[in-house]
Amino acid sequence: MERRKGRFEQAHGGTLFLDEVGDLPSEAQRVLLGVLEQGRLTRVGGETPVEVDVRVVAATNRDLQEAMDRGTFREDLFHRLNVFPVKIPPLRDRREEIPFLAAYFASRFAGELERPVPVISPEASRHLQEHAWPGNVRELEHVMQRAMIVCRNHVVDLEDVLQDDDLYEGGSSSPASAPPVGQGKESQARPVFKSEKQQILEALKATNWVISGKRGAAALLGMNPERLRSRMRVYKLKKP
């Protein structure tokens, strides 16, 4: 039986991207720190260390300084990873990029679904640029994935990015875009994303609590399965 290599072994001589490193449990942080400091690892069940030469790029949307203050993230690991920090502004601070990102995701998902690349209507584009995007690019990616599934006539319209079943409910899209007093009811009925917990719970129910795989909740949410499990632990979501 062929032995399966771990991620670090597969990335030997190259680069390994660690997404959502701020969500790593304490034991995984300890192991990662050991690999970064020693340049070698010991396989599960093995005894002989294996040398690895890997460039590690880590990303997180968490405040690691706050996590260190709470004791949930190791300070020594933080300094190992923080050799060359790159801070990316949230999507709401670079709204000029949203139309290009939306078009990219539309093209990508059109290819996956074997459908023609759609046109994004001005109304849909305007809404995408006005939304607060608390989930940043991943949230936009998820919205465009759903829009590609429901859009018709090769056009992504406003209603395609305002789905009521999983993503939106009544309210303003962000505090900054709330309508002023005296504005009509129509403008006050702007939709808003549901909470992350509610999105995850509804996706789990829709997939009968299957997490990974093409028909799992992680794929529906556009989320890595391990991150979904981590968020489920945070929100204490368990299969009934």
Side-chain angles (χ1 to χ4, degrees):
M1 183 176 179
E2 185 178 358
R3 180 181 59 80
R4 294 181 61 184
K5 292 184 177 181
R7 299 299 186 189
F8 270 92
E9 286 188 85
Q10 292 179 39
H12 181 69
T15 301
L16 177 64
F17 176 60
L18 302 177
D19 196 11
E20 302 298 347
V21 71
D23 292 335
L24 283 178
S26 57
E27 178 60 20
Q29 292 180 37
R30 184 190 66 78
V31 173
L32 175 59
L33 177 64
V35 175
L36 295 177
E37 288 185 334
Q38 301 169 18
R40 60 179 182 270
L41 55 86
T42 302
R43 302 187 186 104
V44 176
E47 297 179 355
T48 305
V50 178
E51 301 289 333
V52 287
D53 179 17
V54 178
R55 178 194 297 111
V56 173
V57 177
T60 183
N61 63 356
R62 299 202 171 281
D63 185 336
L64 293 186
Q65 183 60 58
E66 180 182 334
M68 287 188 291
D69 293 340
R70 295 198 313 268
T72 58
F73 197 84
R74 297 179 63 117
E75 186 174 355
D76 45 6
L77 177 58
F78 171 79
H79 291 301
R80 276 288 175 183
L81 294 172
N82 199 41
V83 176
F84 194 91
V86 178
K87 292 187 177 181
I88 301 177
L91 191 57
R92 62 181 176 273
D93 291 342
R94 44 193 176 100
R95 296 180 185 275
E96 68 280 359
E97 298 179 16
I98 292 176
F100 301 100
L101 288 169
Y104 163 74
F105 288 132
S107 176
R108 196 184 88 187
F109 291 125
E112 293 179 4
L113 296 170
E114 298 182 350
R115 298 181 59 179
V117 178
V119 174
I120 301 176
S121 73
E123 293 79 12
S125 182
R126 188 179 307 113
H127 169 76
L128 294 175
Q129 286 188 280
E130 290 176 352
H131 186 69
W133 298 112
N136 288 305
V137 176
R138 183 178 284 116
E139 188 177 7
L140 174 60
E141 178 184 17
H142 178 44
V143 169
M144 293 310 299
Q145 182 181 26
R146 292 184 59 82
M148 277 305 307
I149 295 173
V150 301
C151 74
R152 294 167 294 178
N153 302 321
H154 315 316
V155 176
V156 174
D157 281 321
L158 178 61
E159 58 266 26
D160 299 323
V161 293
L162 300 180
Q163 297 300 305
D164 292 324
D165 49 356
D166 282 328
L167 293 176
Y168 294 93
E169 62 188 0
S172 61
S173 59
S174 69
S177 60
V181 176
Q183 212 165 315
K185 290 184 178 179
E186 180 179 354
S187 58
Q188 292 182 22
R190 294 291 302 275
V192 66
F193 277 95
K194 294 180 180 178
S195 68
E196 182 183 51
K197 179 179 179 180
Q198 190 171 1
Q199 290 185 44
I200 290 174
L201 182 59
E202 292 182 1
L204 288 167
K205 289 180 179 178
T207 57
N208 197 27
W209 292 79
V210 174
I211 294 175
S212 57
K214 292 184 178 180
R215 298 182 181 275
L220 181 62
L221 293 165
M223 184 183 293
N224 181 283
E226 287 306 314
R227 170 162 173 75
L228 175 55
R229 291 187 180 95
S230 173
R231 304 311 293 162
M232 288 171 64
R233 288 192 294 269
V234 170
Y235 295 125
K236 295 181 174 58
L237 296 176
K238 295 182 179 180
K239 184 177 179 179

